[in-house]
Amino acid sequence: AFAVDFQRFGASVHADLLSDVSMVAWTVDLSLDMKELLPLVGADCEMTKVTEDEGFQRYMKLLDAVQRWVAGGSAGVAPALASAPFLVPLDISRVPWTEPQAQRKLTVFLKCMSKSYMEGGWSSIFEDRENVPRARWLLSFAEPLQPSYPFASQLANISEAM
């Protein structure tokens, strides 16, 4: 079902339909559940349980498939997106900041996700690929209803991790 939806999406961003639009990036509305994953992060990329998590494995397979569909160039599902970088979504508002060592674990998580398998990392998403722009992070924040929410400190935590 997802493949059919993505093919429809690809047809909607066909170059003929985007004559006056400059595509600068693209993404999917899909993010990891950091509340579940952060406790699984270890001291480094090798000492972790994140890559054993079924949800993480499915997420990585799906993002890899979506990127490959687009990167297929003129034979890809959405050739108009092939020259634009993929923005990897991550909902930062789901980070459990009360988790012991949350800042360190988030830093390890971002580092390991950004490193290729050959470099000891967890994904191929950020690998340099021939004729494909390098992927980038797209961080999202849900604004909670509480007026006392420490958004500035949360943003500072993320800045340090990046």
Side-chain angles (χ1 to χ4, degrees):
F2 182 76
V4 172
D5 288 341
F6 198 76
Q7 288 177 328
R8 287 182 187 147
F9 167 72
S12 73
V13 293
H14 192 274
D16 295 340
L17 300 174
L18 300 174
S19 59
D20 294 333
V21 176
S22 176
M23 192 69 65
V24 295
W26 65 279
T27 192
V28 292
D29 188 10
L30 182 70
S31 188
L32 289 166
D33 187 349
M34 295 305 294
K35 189 173 186 176
E36 298 294 324
L37 288 178
L38 205 62
L40 303 177
V41 175
D44 57 32
C45 299
E46 294 173 4
M47 303 295 291
T48 186
K49 299 279 187 196
V50 171
T51 55
E52 297 171 16
D53 182 79
E54 284 185 40
F56 177 81
Q57 292 171 2
R58 287 191 305 266
Y59 175 85
M60 295 307 298
K61 286 178 184 176
L62 184 58
L63 286 188
D64 188 54
V66 167
Q67 274 192 298
R68 291 189 189 284
W69 281 343
V70 169
S74 60
V77 173
L81 302 180
S83 62
F86 176 60
L87 302 179
V88 180
L90 186 62
D91 183 0
I92 299 303
S93 55
R94 297 282 299 156
V95 171
W97 295 110
T98 56
E99 167 80 20
Q101 301 184 10
Q103 178 64 48
R104 183 197 61 76
K105 288 181 176 188
L106 180 61
T107 301
V108 170
F109 179 86
L110 291 169
K111 180 183 83 173
C112 296
M113 281 289 291
S114 300
K115 288 171 68 175
S116 70
Y117 297 117
M118 293 188 62
E119 297 172 319
W122 301 341
S123 80
S124 61
I125 294 174
F126 293 94
E127 282 181 353
D128 287 327
R129 297 179 188 177
E130 190 174 328
N131 301 321
V132 177
R134 185 170 170 85
R136 295 169 174 82
W137 286 107
L138 173 63
L139 305 177
S140 62
F141 302 86
E143 188 176 338
L145 299 174
Q146 311 95 306
S148 62
Y149 183 74
F151 182 77
S153 63
Q154 185 182 27
L155 191 55
N157 288 333
I158 299 304
S159 298
E160 288 176 29
M162 302 290 292

